[in-house]
């Protein structure tokens, strides 16, 4: 078997530097994530595009789209 990271191509990666509530909804309308992320926690998404993202504290979030930094 291949490692999960080899099979999964991330389109969106979110990382926070302080606690922040996050909600990610897929293009199908399905709720993919809704919770508070903790410092240094990272989550990635690569399916159900386009994605809708709501950040409780954008000032503590680091966002990457297809591996490139995305300026909020």
């Amino acid at each position: 078997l291949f490692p999960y990271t080899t099979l999964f191509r991330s389109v969106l990666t979110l990382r926070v530097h302080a606690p922040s509530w996050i909600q990610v909804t897929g293009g199908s309308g399905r709720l993919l994530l809704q919770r508070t992320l903790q410092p240094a926690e990272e989550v990635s998404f690569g399916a159900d595009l386009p994605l809708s993202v709501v950040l409780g504290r954008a000032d503590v979030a680091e966002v990457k789209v297809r591996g490139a930094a995305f300026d909020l």
Side-chain angles (χ1 to χ4, degrees):
L1 292 175
F2 295 101
Y4 181 70
T5 54
T6 302
L7 300 174
F8 181 74
R9 297 207 182 261
S10 174
V11 172
L12 174 71
T13 301
L14 303 167
R15 181 181 179 95
V16 296
H17 303 287
S20 179
W21 180 84
I22 268 183
Q23 176 180 298
V24 180
T25 305
S28 68
R30 192 175 115 218
L31 186 61
L32 303 175
L33 178 73
Q34 181 175 297
R35 67 181 176 89
T36 299
L37 295 183
Q38 298 304 313
E41 188 173 0
E42 185 175 285
V43 291
S44 296
F45 304 88
D48 200 4
L49 304 175
L51 298 167
S52 172
V53 179
V54 178
L55 299 170
R57 290 196 55 201
D59 62 316
V60 300
E62 178 183 319
V63 179
K64 291 185 180 180
V65 176
R66 293 184 172 87
F70 185 83
D71 188 24
L72 298 176

